[in-house]
Amino acid sequence: MTSEIGAAESALSEPQARRVVYCGVCTLPPEYCEFGGTAKKCKEWLETNHPDLHEKLYSEEAVAATLSTLSLEAQKRAAKDSQKKEAKAAAAEAKAAETKAQAQILIKRVERNKRKYVTAVSGLEAHGMDLKKVAKEWGKKFATGSSVTKTASGGEEVVVQGDNSDEIFDWVVDVAGVPEANVDCIEDKKKKAT
């Protein structure tokens, strides 16, 4: 009987593991999201996924309590800094959207031998696609070999065996959601060795 009580007391005195929530946007704990640079997106994510924690961190009372510990000068600096961070994040978001809208995807059909072709696709990374995953998916979809290779200019491209340029064009437009105006198909002929 006394051994059961002793076991229960020792179980209560041992420290318990804490469950820590990490932000789905910046991967920091929500208390530190303001230092990550994506505070606005983090706040929206926290509001949808963990409303209780959002209420605890961003309610009027919590913000007022945090600001009351600061001096008037520090409050003014904090407000100024938060405005700068928001403006900077908005500018970065607009710039990323602009570069994504202007990014071109080139689909080249390159002749290897007399009737053998490979299709090289470059510019996918500008649209937020993981090249290795895309290469693997295309290899399965077209039942051919596909890989990520480095180009002479230092970039990377996905090379698919066979002439799949039309199917790749359709996939890029339909599945990836890239506008047709941003996708170009080019036919390259390899120079004959003399």
Side-chain angles (χ1 to χ4, degrees), residues 17 49 59 67 72 79 83 91 99 116 122 139 148 152 158 167 171 191:
N49 294 316
S59 67
L67 288 177
L72 289 176
Q83 287 176 346
T99 56
K116 305 281 184 181
S122 60
V148 178
V158 178
E167 292 89 353
W171 186 92
K191 295 178 183 175

Side-chain angles (χ1 to χ4, degrees), residues 15-190:
Q16 299 296 318
R18 290 189 179 192
R19 190 179 149 274
V20 178
V21 176
Y22 291 99
C23 178
V25 178
C26 67
T27 67
L28 293 171
E31 295 85 7
Y32 298 99
C33 283
E34 63 185 279
F35 304 110
T38 56
K40 187 176 178 183
K41 287 182 182 180
C42 293
K43 190 174 179 181
E44 292 170 0
W45 179 86
L46 191 65
E47 188 173 16
T48 56
N49 294 316
H50 297 283
D52 54 333
L53 193 56
H54 179 270
E55 182 68 27
K56 179 182 169 189
L57 294 174
Y58 296 108
S59 67
E60 293 290 329
E61 299 85 31
V63 173
T66 306
L67 288 177
S68 68
T69 61
L70 299 175
S71 66
L72 289 176
E73 190 176 305
Q75 287 180 8
K76 289 178 185 176
R77 271 186 289 158
K80 197 181 225 183
D81 288 347
S82 67
Q83 287 176 346
K84 281 183 183 177
K85 282 186 181 180
E86 286 177 13
K88 195 174 185 180
E93 198 172 303
K95 186 177 179 182
E98 183 181 326
T99 56
K100 185 175 179 180
Q102 292 177 353
Q104 288 288 104
I105 294 179
L106 295 176
I107 302 173
K108 292 188 282 188
R109 186 180 95 166
V110 182
E111 186 177 352
R112 280 191 316 143
N113 290 332
K114 292 180 183 174
R115 292 190 336 251
K116 305 281 184 181
Y117 294 96
V118 293
T119 306
V121 184
S122 60
L124 293 171
E125 63 276 350
H127 291 276
M129 293 183 234
D130 184 15
L131 296 181
K132 288 184 179 182
K133 289 181 181 178
V134 170
K136 189 171 186 175
E137 184 174 337
W138 286 349
K140 289 178 183 178
K141 181 175 176 68
F142 305 128
T144 62
S146 64
S147 63
V148 178
T149 59
K150 294 196 184 290
T151 61
S153 61
E156 290 186 331
E157 66 183 4
V158 178
V159 177
V160 181
Q161 291 179 0
D163 179 17
N164 298 308
S165 54
D166 295 333
E167 292 89 353
I168 290 174
F169 180 86
D170 294 337
W171 186 92
V172 167
V173 171
D174 296 337
V175 177
V178 178
E180 284 188 34
N182 291 11
V183 182
D184 286 337
C185 290
I186 301 170
E187 185 170 341
D188 258 1
K189 288 194 175 185
K190 223 173 195 179

